[in-house]
């Protein structure tokens, strides 16, 4: 596709977006941003709608035969389960919320590919999708002969697959996209920096959007001040011209407004308020220094905890390329150096609003419940979650644990159903707080209080 055609497409998209403003002038920027995510495509189709719904024809057996005997509606549900997708509660039709139509029958992935997920089978807006398996989707597209239909104009290493569903390699893609852009976002053939293989394999889970409004810095290590431009790095692609990309800034300001308006879902079961009151005292004494306080007068310290103190898997904090960070900060994405940049290594203790819905825990999703977070010695080495189950006692995912990977689990799509903490970047160690530990009654009280946040 020529640059001229890409610019024509970008102009049409801008006109569509502007036209929407005229029709929906009463919308707030946040409302407009959410609608934009669901209706305006940014980038290129990964496949057509028809091709997506025909993917069952390349599924492994016995799934393919089961799909062949099913109705189209049943096959659509099977596809949602296979890829960890959901239908949108705010958009009609069979297209998953993770895609936006390009108006020509094509499907473009959007922010909800990672930031739209469910709890107990119900979509929660802005929740990181712990079921997503974009690598299985990519593998199926490859078998159908559809992956990367338009060649990239520059040579880049392949993005490694995520080792478990619910995780992603977003930092690999961002590192690769930005390294072939100059400060003004023009595509350059010679990379601005050269990442190591270790810097291109950083699997992470997706945090919820509702933590954003409390933060002044973004991401697990807080390396950059939050801005609407910074989130655009994940929409960048080698085939997007600079003028097109920079022209997306206005709609992304609205998307940014929506991100910062998202509120956490309240816990949806009865809470023992007396027990929660006891748990609040434990929380203030043991957790508030890093995670902040809640209720009237509450505050969030946005504390960076060193790797030595937190002790959790260090791959994300240690390996994200400092050259990538510096270039991002110096470029248009970082407003040419005006956005705060930090190269300190550690992890930001996140807010705990809506923490009940955020499982699995830690930046790499290695801990399935809050009880396991408070009981480091009992964290399972290998576990598999159910799709819709929830553990209200331990507060988190409903899981089955394993000593070893089952012998009949051989395909990559099967293996990604299991979280294997021995794999690189997936370690479940650390966060051994409080250091002296709590007894089971104290854990139950603290967990009950965390339901109220």
């Amino acid at each position: 596709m020529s640059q001229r055609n890409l610019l024509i497409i970008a102009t049409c998209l801008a006109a569509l977006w502007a036209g929407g403003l005229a029709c929906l002038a009463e919308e707030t920027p946040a409302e407009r941003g959410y609608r934009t995510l669901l209706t305006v495509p940014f980038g290129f189709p990964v496949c057509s709608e028809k091709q997506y719904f025909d993917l069952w024809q390349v599924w492994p057996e016995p799934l393919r035969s089961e799909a062949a005997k099913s109705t189209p509606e049943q096959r659509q549900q099977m596809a949602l389960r296979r890829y960890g997708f959901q239908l949108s509660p705010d958009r009609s039709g069979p297209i998953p919320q993770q895609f936006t139509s390009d108006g020509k029958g094509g499907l473009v992935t959007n922010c909800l590919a990672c930031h739209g997920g469910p709890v107990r089978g119900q979509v929660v807006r802005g929740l990181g999708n712990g079921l997503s398996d974009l690598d299985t989707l990519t593998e199926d597209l490859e078998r159908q002969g559809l992956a990367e239909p338009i060649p990239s104009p520059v040579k880049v290493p392949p993005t490694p697959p995520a080792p478990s569903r619910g995780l992603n390699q977003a930092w690999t893609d961002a590192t690769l996209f930005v390294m072939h852009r100059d400060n003004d976002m023009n595509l350059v053939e010679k990379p601005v920096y050269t990442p190591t293989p270790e810097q291109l394999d950083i699997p992470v889970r997706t945090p919820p959007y509702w933590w954003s409004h409390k933060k002044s810095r973004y991401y697990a290590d807080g390396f950059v001040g939050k801005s609407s431009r910074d989130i655009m790095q994940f929409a960048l692609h080698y085939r997007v011209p600079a003028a097109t990309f920079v022209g997306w800034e206005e709609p992304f300001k609205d998307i940014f407004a929506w991100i910062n308006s998202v509120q956490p879902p309240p816990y949806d079961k009865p809470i023992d308020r007396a027990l929660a009151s006891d748990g609040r005292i434990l929380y203030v004494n043991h957790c508030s220094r890093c995670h902040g306080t809640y209720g009237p007068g509450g505050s969030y310290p946005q504390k960076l905890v060193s790797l030595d103190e937190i002790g959790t898997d260090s791959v994300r904090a240690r390996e994200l390329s400092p050259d990538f960070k510096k270039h991002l900060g110096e470029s248009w994405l970082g407003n040419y150096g005006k956005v705060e940049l930090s190269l300190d290594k550690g992890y930001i203790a996140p807010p705990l609003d809506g923490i009940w819905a955020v499982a699995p825990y830690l930046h790499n999703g290695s801990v399935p419940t809050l009880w396991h977070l408070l009981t480091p010695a009992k964290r399972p080495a290998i576990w598999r979650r159910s799709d819709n189950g929830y553990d209200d006692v331990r507060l988190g995912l409903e899981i089955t644990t394993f000593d070893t990977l089952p012998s009949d689990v051989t395909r990559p799509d099967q293996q990604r159903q299991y979280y294997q903490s021995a794999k690189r970047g997936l370690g479940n160690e650390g966060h051994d707080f409080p250091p002296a530990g709590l007894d089971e009654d104290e854990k139950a009280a603290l967990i009950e209080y965390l339901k109220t946040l």
Side-chain angles (χ1 to χ4, degrees):
M1 186 180 294
S2 69
Q3 181 165 329
R4 177 178 178 275
N5 288 336
L6 290 172
L7 288 171
I8 290 174
I9 291 172
T11 302
C12 292
L13 291 176
L16 172 64
W17 180 74
L21 299 187
C23 297
L24 299 167
E26 71 278 5
E27 285 183 307
T28 66
E31 291 168 340
R32 194 165 57 234
Y34 183 50
R35 178 178 56 79
T36 296
L37 276 183
L38 294 175
T39 60
V40 179
F42 296 99
F44 299 85
V46 296
C47 63
S48 72
E49 184 175 350
K50 181 181 185 305
Q51 289 163 340
Y52 169 78
F53 289 120
D54 285 346
L55 279 176
W56 65 270
Q57 297 174 12
V58 300
W59 288 350
E61 293 290 3
L63 194 61
R64 181 166 65 246
S65 294
E66 181 185 344
K69 299 174 184 177
S70 302
T71 66
E73 292 75 18
Q74 290 170 332
R75 285 198 291 269
Q76 290 172 15
Q77 291 300 315
M78 293 172 70
L80 293 175
R81 290 195 300 271
R82 179 164 175 79
Y83 306 125
F85 293 165
Q86 305 82 34
L87 297 180
S88 170
D90 305 299
R91 185 181 67 187
S92 62
I95 297 175
Q97 67 172 345
Q98 286 77 17
F99 290 123
T100 299
S101 172
D102 69 351
K104 300 177 181 179
L107 298 180
V108 180
T109 53
N110 60 38
C111 299
L112 301 179
C114 294
H115 287 278
V119 175
R120 304 190 205 272
Q122 299 298 313
V123 170
V124 177
R125 295 171 186 83
L127 175 65
N129 189 355
L131 295 175
S132 66
D133 192 348
L134 298 175
D135 291 290
T136 291
L137 174 66
T138 299
E139 290 164 3
D140 287 350
L141 289 172
E142 289 173 346
R143 278 192 290 271
Q144 204 182 45
L146 296 174
E148 197 69 6
I150 306 174
S152 170
V154 292
K155 276 192 168 184
V156 292
T159 299
S164 175
R165 66 171 174 166
L167 302 182
N168 61 71
Q169 293 279 18
W171 286 117
T172 302
D173 290 334
T175 299
L176 293 175
F177 291 158
V178 174
M179 81 181 197
H180 279 282
R181 299 283 173 166
D182 66 16
N183 282 353
D184 298 319
M185 297 290 99
N186 296 301
L187 186 71
V188 292
E189 184 173 354
K190 183 179 179 181
V192 178
Y193 51 85
T194 304
T196 66
E198 292 77 17
Q199 292 170 340
L200 295 178
D201 187 10
I202 306 176
V204 293
R205 64 181 273 274
T206 304
Y209 275 153
W210 59 75
W211 287 346
S212 178
H213 77 278
K214 285 193 168 183
K215 296 183 176 182
S216 62
R217 293 180 286 162
Y218 266 165
Y219 313 120
D221 56 358
F223 82 86
V224 66
K226 76 175 185 180
S227 71
S228 58
R229 286 188 181 184
D230 178 71
I231 63 173
M232 292 176 66
Q233 64 181 295
F234 301 107
L236 192 57
H237 196 279
Y238 315 112
R239 298 194 302 269
V240 178
T244 301
F245 181 72
V246 171
W248 289 343
E249 182 175 15
E250 288 306 311
F252 265 88
K253 287 181 180 178
D254 288 340
I255 293 171
F256 184 66
W258 176 69
I259 289 171
N260 284 282
S261 74
V262 175
Q263 295 297 310
Y267 183 67
D268 56 357
K269 299 289 183 182
I271 297 174
D272 184 331
R273 294 293 171 176
L275 187 61
S277 180
D278 293 338
R280 180 182 180 279
I281 297 171
L282 289 165
Y283 176 84
V284 170
N285 290 337
H286 298 293
C287 312
S288 61
R289 178 176 66 91
C290 293
H291 293 287
T293 55
Y294 297 83
S299 63
Y300 171 59
Q302 199 168 226
K303 178 180 174 61
L304 181 72
V305 186
S306 71
L307 293 177
D308 288 341
E309 182 179 359
I310 191 65
T312 52
D313 190 288
S314 64
V315 166
R316 165 61 182 83
R318 188 182 68 245
E319 296 293 354
L320 187 60
S321 168
D323 293 328
F324 157 73
K325 294 178 181 179
K326 291 174 183 177
H327 181 47
L328 184 147
E330 293 167 354
S331 73
W332 180 89
L333 288 167
N335 199 15
Y336 301 105
K338 294 180 181 178
V339 174
E340 177 189 3
L341 188 71
S342 171
L343 300 182
D344 294 336
K345 295 186 184 298
Y347 293 115
I348 296 285
L352 300 184
D353 309 73
I355 192 65
W356 74 274
V358 177
Y361 301 102
L362 299 184
H363 72 279
N364 59 3
S366 60
V367 180
T369 74
L370 285 175
W371 181 87
H372 287 105
L373 191 67
L374 296 170
T375 317
K378 297 292 185 179
R379 294 174 189 169
I382 301 174
W383 51 271
R384 181 181 183 180
R385 64 169 295 173
S386 65
D387 284 358
N388 299 325
Y390 189 87
D391 188 332
D392 287 283
V393 175
R394 297 189 293 187
L395 214 62
L397 304 182
E398 178 185 71
I399 64 167
T400 303
T401 63
F402 302 84
D403 294 327
T404 60
L405 196 66
S407 59
D408 60 344
V409 176
T410 56
R411 299 193 315 265
D413 63 312
Q414 294 174 320
Q415 293 172 352
R416 282 191 290 271
Q417 299 289 314
Y418 297 80
Y419 196 102
Q420 303 174 65
S421 61
K423 286 191 171 185
R424 181 181 182 277
L426 305 192
N428 63 5
E429 66 276 5
H431 198 281
D432 193 0
F433 300 122
L438 300 175
D439 63 34
E440 290 303 312
D441 289 341
E442 290 173 322
K443 291 175 190 176
L446 179 55
I447 287 172
E448 201 70 12
Y449 171 68
L450 293 174
K451 294 176 182 178
T452 71
L453 302 185

